[in-house]
Amino acid sequence: MDISQIIDPLNKAQRQAVCSEAQNTLVLAGAGSGKTRVLVHRIAWLVQIENVSPYSIMAVTFTNKAAGEMRFRIENLLKTPTRNMWVGTFHGLAHRLLRTHWKDAKLVENFQIIDSDDQLRLVKRIMKEMGIDDKKHPPREVQWFINECKDNGLRVAQLNPREFHNREFMLDVYFQYEELCQRTGMVDFAELLLRAHELWLHQPHVLKHYQQRFSHILVDEFQDTNTIQYAWLKVLSGNNLPATHMNTFVVGDDDQSIYGWRGAKIEHIREFTHDFKAGTSETVRLEQNYRSTGNILEAANSVIANNSERLGKELWTDDSEGELLQVYKAFNEIDEAAYVCGQIEKWIENGGKRSDVAILYRSNAQSQPHEYELVKRGVPYRVYGGLRFYDRAEIKDALAYMRLIANRQDDAALERIINTPTRGIGQRTLDIIRQAAKEKQQNLWQTAVELIADKGLSARAATSVQKFIDLIEELQIDDELSLAEQVTHIVEASFLKEFHGKENSDRAQAKVENLDELVNAAKRFDDEGDPLLDAMIEAKDEASANAGSESLQPLNPMAEFLAHAALEAGEGQADEWEDCIQLMSLHSAKGLEFELVFLSGLEQGLFPHKNALQDYVGGRLEEERRLCYVGITRARQQLHMTHAESRTIYGRSELSYPSQFLSEIPASLVSQVRAVQNSISGKHVTRNTSSSSSFASDDDGEVYIGQGVSHKKFGEGIVVDLEGTGARARVQVSFDNYGTRWLMLNIANLAT
Ligand code: ATP
Ligand code: MG
């Protein structure tokens, strides 16, 4: 492979970045300008032209999906597997380090990763034990507080109680929480990063080993690094010292910083050249956008121009103007979904691929009506984020069995399954166990065993708990069996499958299928393993001469699988490559691109989110706007933006108004589509754009959805929904000047 293959597909500025000779390079550029492409080509350049060993390269991306994509692209370019290159997310890399150096990190060997739900459960439990009123102090706030501290690298000891006034209890909860996690071998997501950072700080021999090992660190989506990630990079790269040989190469876009709410700091882009000061540094700007049509790009530029604190970048395209953006005003979220689906069907009829289509939304809860409509019309789709595979209750139950089997200290797992499926162990029994565990300062499992022996439980409770204990003992990992066989056994013998299968509903059926899918996932894991783990093992072989490094003991497959599941949550759904519509939140769409994009729910309070509207300082509104910029710039050819006049979300139906972001797009770029006439089929409104003659009237035969009506006070409007019959019949009308209202049909006196 020669130079030309690496640099020919790049423009001048991109080449300059790829071949940069500076020790620290910052590529600062807008969406779709080729930042990720540059990063990938840079790696190829290093390996092929500068003869850097893949073993000395670390590349950090934002999601597992992005990491997989990057690995794929590098392999394509290099035409060789990149097994021993470290490519992963901050969390993934931190996790691997902690697994390898668990002793130095002061962890137990088989520590478990807990997700946000488990974390909340532990926080609740601690607050309950401490007698804190969770009405006055929502546990979720305390959980946020703990994570925020960790994201900023702060342990309890570093916090000043005086600054907490009447909220000092939060420090106590944080302290107790840390104690509990340490005792039971639990590690939450924020802890992964903080621990890995402390590993550098407290174990110089480990740090030195990795500083010698790596010569190049590359980071994508740099604008979203939080304090602890930034500090971790800085220490690893040796930039906290007077001199270092490490080369850092980061790419980012201040306009796409969308994780401020999780502690990410745009300032890091500004500080980079100052903080990473060893040797020479260079900033490269890319200004040509290769992704979107002229109209889409202009819309994105117009929206983001409303933000104040920007580093300032120009973005232009050679591409034609393309089609106008479509803005669809729907009656409600069902109508919105029907519109989106109708457009998708058109796209497919015209030969478009399903996987080139994305439906994006601000909150995961918005996926539901879209899913409903897609299912109804038989269009295959895949949801990223939201209730993701490994997040589903039945999957988490099964994983909790595995966790407890692997580690009896795992209190969070025990709490989850001690009475799932139901086996007659009530809250009271659990409270007794919890209380005793607290007094004895030990885990729930050991406490339960002792309580039974000491007759500390009622005879009935003791029998039930004993049964549970026997079950877990019986399920003990058998190394002779493959992972998939073990998982099958656990799912069956725990009666989880039977428990869910008993119920005769689609949902129950889906749960059973999910449990089967877990077995498949285990099978795949048996076959393929985890690429990063393989990289570690090979690296160990290569590095065996390195003094001071601990050897990596491969974990047993079950523990590996559990770690994989915890980190992968949601990103490992089945049939990743099946041609299907992609549904995801705007946050998860970062870095991706699609030919046809639907931005749905562009309504005040939904997007921008209502919390941002209440933030008078304005920082959060700007973050919402950046999110909108991210959304718009995902589209290559066509962009549809939808909003509804009324929306039922979280069970409440509310009137809504178009997002202010829509008004920030020049009218000349937009074609407005108004939902005019619909037909009704059952309870679901389906859009019909062909002609008014295709209306079907509702069962009462009087009014029908899509009918034009007029009201004495509210004036002209269109019927958008119907409910009830006879004297109870209600009708929802979208009035031209008064928004959408529900009216009793027999008193509204509507003229047709
Ligand atoms: P984002 O900010 O959304 O992460 P990005 O800056 O990382 O975007 P890429 O995803 O690397 O941009 O590139 C956007 C699209 O433009 C991709 O499809 C990429 O292949 C294409 N592209 C980038 N540079 C060139 C080029 N020089 N010639 C042709 N296509 C290019
Ligand atoms: Mg990118």
Side-chain angles (χ1 to χ4, degrees):
M1 178 174 180
D2 58 36
I3 275 194
S4 61
Q5 276 169 290
I6 300 177
I7 61 170
D8 278 2
L10 303 172
N11 67 28
K12 193 158 161 257
Q14 291 174 334
R15 271 181 217 171
Q16 187 192 341
V18 165
C19 314
S20 172
E21 284 174 10
Q23 191 168 346
N24 302 300
T25 309
L26 164 68
V27 178
L28 176 62
S33 59
K35 291 183 299 299
T36 304
R37 175 183 273 224
V38 159
L39 198 135
V40 167
H41 284 246
R42 168 84 177 172
I43 292 174
W45 169 269
L46 293 173
V47 174
Q48 288 293 338
I49 311 299
E50 295 196 3
N51 291 321
V52 175
S53 157
Y55 170 77
S56 322
I57 296 177
M58 174 191 277
V60 189
T61 62
F62 216 76
T63 59
N64 292 315
K65 188 171 160 60
E69 176 86 21
M70 181 168 294
R71 197 174 274 284
F72 177 77
R73 288 209 220 167
I74 298 170
E75 288 181 357
N76 248 354
L77 208 52
L78 290 177
K79 304 271 181 293
T80 60
T82 53
R83 295 235 116 189
N84 48 17
M85 193 180 293
W86 276 34
V87 182
T89 62
F90 278 111
H91 286 104
L93 296 168
H95 168 243
R96 288 304 163 195
L97 278 171
L98 297 178
R99 281 278 176 232
T100 315
H101 304 281
W102 56 272
K103 237 188 239 159
D104 281 325
K106 313 231 167 354
L107 286 166
V108 289
E109 184 173 9
N110 56 356
F111 70 85
Q112 305 282 335
I113 302 171
I114 54 171
D115 65 12
S116 160
D117 271 5
D118 288 329
Q119 187 186 32
L120 185 61
R121 198 168 295 140
L122 294 182
V123 169
K124 273 190 190 152
R125 175 177 147 199
I126 291 165
M127 288 177 66
K128 192 167 175 198
E129 284 170 2
M130 291 172 60
I132 299 167
D133 180 0
D134 63 1
K135 297 273 176 332
K136 236 166 80 196
H137 306 290
R140 206 170 277 280
E141 272 174 26
V142 182
Q143 179 188 22
W144 272 88
F145 164 76
I146 293 174
N147 289 337
E148 201 181 354
C149 289
K150 291 190 181 187
D151 284 342
N152 285 302
L154 297 170
R155 296 280 184 204
V156 181
Q158 289 150 294
L159 296 165
N160 181 358
R162 266 190 245 131
E163 285 171 16
F164 283 82
H165 307 294
N166 53 357
R167 299 173 75 81
E168 249 180 61
F169 78 93
M170 297 223 278
L171 291 186
D172 295 336
V173 180
Y174 186 8
F175 180 77
Q176 299 273 349
Y177 173 76
E178 281 201 308
E179 286 251 308
L180 181 66
C181 288
Q182 184 61 29
R183 206 167 59 234
T184 53
M186 302 292 124
V187 174
D188 61 50
F189 286 125
E191 182 73 24
L192 283 173
L193 300 175
L194 180 52
R195 242 348 130 110
H197 184 236
E198 288 171 345
L199 184 66
W200 294 158
L201 299 185
H202 304 323
Q203 306 292 343
H205 68 285
V206 179
L207 174 62
K208 196 163 155 225
H209 165 66
Y210 287 99
Q211 285 179 331
Q212 280 168 354
R213 172 194 167 145
F214 294 116
S215 60
H216 288 81
I217 305 176
L218 301 96
V219 187
D220 198 359
E221 309 276 4
F222 186 66
Q223 74 279 358
D224 277 325
T225 47
N226 68 20
T227 303
I228 198 77
Q229 291 163 343
Y230 188 76
W232 187 82
L233 284 175
K234 196 168 148 190
V235 174
L236 173 62
S237 69
N239 271 290
N240 55 336
L241 306 170
T244 172
H245 72 282
M246 194 79 79
N247 298 279
T248 40
F249 186 94
V250 304
V251 309
D253 176 4
D254 55 316
D255 289 333
Q256 293 187 70
S257 165
I258 54 176
Y259 280 95
W261 56 286
R262 269 208 212 148
K265 299 228 164 69
I266 315 187
E267 293 84 23
H268 294 147
I269 295 190
R270 254 183 243 133
E271 288 161 4
F272 176 76
T273 36
H274 175 73
D275 284 350
F276 288 67
K277 54 183 177 296
T280 46
S281 64
E282 182 173 14
T283 300
V284 181
R285 289 174 189 259
L286 312 175
E287 297 186 334
Q288 181 169 2
N289 171 295
Y290 287 91
R291 181 178 293 149
S292 311
T293 63
N295 285 339
I296 292 171
L297 192 61
E298 198 183 331
N301 284 340
S302 308
V303 169
I304 200 68
N306 291 283
N307 269 7
S308 53
E309 306 252 317
R310 301 178 60 209
L311 296 177
K313 298 179 306 300
E314 292 299 317
L315 209 52
W316 57 274
T317 175
D318 243 357
D319 201 5
S320 64
E321 281 176 4
E323 296 174 30
L324 290 178
L325 283 60
Q326 308 275 328
V327 172
Y328 179 76
K329 181 174 188 173
F331 296 128
N332 53 27
E333 73 280 4
I334 300 169
D335 179 37
E336 177 185 52
Y339 167 77
V340 170
C341 239
Q343 294 294 320
I344 289 175
E345 283 175 339
K346 251 196 228 162
W347 169 264
I348 296 168
E349 270 165 31
N350 290 333
K353 260 172 67 183
R354 288 190 281 260
S355 54
D356 283 338
V357 182
I359 305 175
L360 309 180
Y361 33 78
R362 176 67 181 84
S363 314
N364 284 314
Q366 281 169 255
S367 75
Q368 206 277 332
H370 290 294
E371 291 190 59
Y372 189 91
E373 195 65 32
L374 290 161
V375 169
K376 204 169 81 180
R377 303 196 191 194
V379 182
Y381 68 92
R382 189 177 137 85
V383 184
Y384 293 83
L387 252 204
R388 309 173 293 191
F389 182 70
Y390 285 112
D391 281 347
R392 289 171 204 265
E394 63 279 10
I395 298 301
K396 284 174 76 170
D397 291 342
L399 292 176
Y401 273 92
M402 296 182 215
R403 282 164 48 187
L404 192 61
I405 291 161
N407 171 17
R408 300 287 193 279
Q409 314 222 35
D410 193 333
D411 284 357
L414 183 138
E415 292 217 18
R416 185 171 183 100
I417 55 170
I418 190 164
N419 200 35
T420 306
T422 36
R423 47 177 77 85
I425 302 175
Q427 269 308 317
R428 272 209 23 217
T429 307
L430 196 52
D431 279 344
I432 295 172
I433 303 174
R434 281 196 197 116
Q435 186 55 33
K438 192 180 165 220
E439 279 157 20
K440 297 182 177 189
Q441 288 283 305
Q442 64 183 20
N443 62 59
L444 295 173
W445 174 272
Q446 183 59 28
T447 310
V449 171
E450 289 172 13
L451 277 174
I452 294 172
D454 301 344
K455 307 240 177 312
L457 294 173
S458 73
R460 237 171 91 202
T463 314
S464 309
V465 175
Q466 186 62 50
K467 263 197 192 148
F468 173 69
I469 289 172
D470 292 343
L471 171 66
I472 299 296
E473 297 285 9
E474 192 268 317
L475 290 173
Q476 191 51 42
I477 296 169
D478 179 349
D479 290 337
E480 300 279 293
L481 297 178
S482 74
L483 179 62
E485 284 166 334
Q486 289 176 37
V487 176
T488 311
H489 181 54
I490 288 167
V491 169
E492 306 269 343
S494 64
F495 293 104
L496 269 181
K497 211 165 149 180
E498 197 183 302
F499 175 64
H500 292 302
K502 261 198 302 223
E503 213 186 304
N504 193 13
S505 70
D506 286 354
R507 267 178 79 179
Q509 188 50 38
K511 287 182 177 181
V512 172
E513 282 168 14
N514 282 336
L515 288 170
D516 288 337
E517 184 50 39
L518 184 66
V519 174
N520 292 338
K523 230 179 250 150
R524 275 196 297 277
F525 196 79
D526 266 334
D527 296 343
E528 291 161 23
D530 182 320
L532 193 56
L533 179 75
D534 292 345
M536 298 274 300
I537 292 170
E538 278 177 40
K540 182 200 125 197
D541 296 342
E542 272 185 56
S544 53
N546 270 309
S549 83
E550 274 185 44
S551 66
L552 173 71
Q553 297 296 327
L555 287 166
N556 70 48
M558 178 74 77
E560 267 311 317
F561 181 64
L562 285 171
H564 165 83
L567 287 167
E568 273 281 309
E571 296 189 50
Q573 272 182 61
D575 301 333
E576 183 144 5
W577 305 112
E578 191 193 351
D579 185 28
C580 58
I581 310 296
Q582 318 276 305
L583 271 71
M584 67 192 83
S585 70
L586 286 152
H587 280 98
S588 345
K590 197 163 81 150
L592 307 179
E593 58 188 21
F594 307 92
E595 299 301 327
L596 169 60
V597 168
F598 296 89
L599 288 190
S600 68
L602 272 154
E603 291 146 37
Q604 285 299 95
L606 194 57
F607 187 33
H609 195 272
K610 60 177 180 305
N611 294 348
L613 292 174
Q614 287 154 4
D615 172 24
Y616 298 106
V617 187
R620 297 194 59 177
L621 183 62
E622 296 217 343
E623 180 150 317
E624 293 288 304
R625 191 175 280 112
R626 291 193 291 270
L627 194 55
C628 184
Y629 175 78
V630 168
I632 296 174
T633 54
R634 296 312 95 198
R636 296 181 67 118
Q637 287 179 36
Q638 282 183 37
L639 176 64
H640 295 249
M641 292 184 273
T642 58
H643 61 104
E645 293 177 330
S646 96
R647 179 178 297 274
T648 308
I649 192 158
Y650 303 119
R652 279 203 316 274
S653 176
E654 282 171 10
L655 282 188
S656 27
Y657 300 93
S659 166
Q660 66 192 92
F661 300 145
L662 283 172
S663 64
E664 293 171 0
I665 300 174
S668 59
L669 303 176
V670 169
S671 150
Q672 299 275 353
V673 191
R674 176 72 166 86
V676 190
Q677 288 154 344
N678 288 280
S679 64
I680 184 168
S681 58
K683 195 80 193 96
H684 291 279
V685 184
T686 48
R687 179 163 171 74
N688 186 328
T689 48
S690 54
S691 87
S692 58
S693 63
S694 60
F695 291 162
S697 54
D698 79 318
D699 298 342
D700 285 346
E702 280 186 319
V703 282
Y704 51 86
I705 289 189
Q707 187 177 25
V709 291
S710 115
H711 182 269
K712 233 163 84 190
K713 182 167 163 215
F714 302 131
E716 303 287 308
I718 288 166
V719 176
V720 295
D721 208 353
L722 299 161
E723 212 178 72
T725 49
R728 288 171 171 227
R730 298 197 319 145
V731 54
Q732 192 184 29
V733 182
S734 166
F735 291 103
D736 293 351
N737 298 318
Y738 283 84
T740 307
R741 285 163 194 267
W742 278 104
L743 304 166
M744 295 303 290
L745 193 54
N746 61 351
I747 46 176
N749 231 341
L750 295 173
T752 54

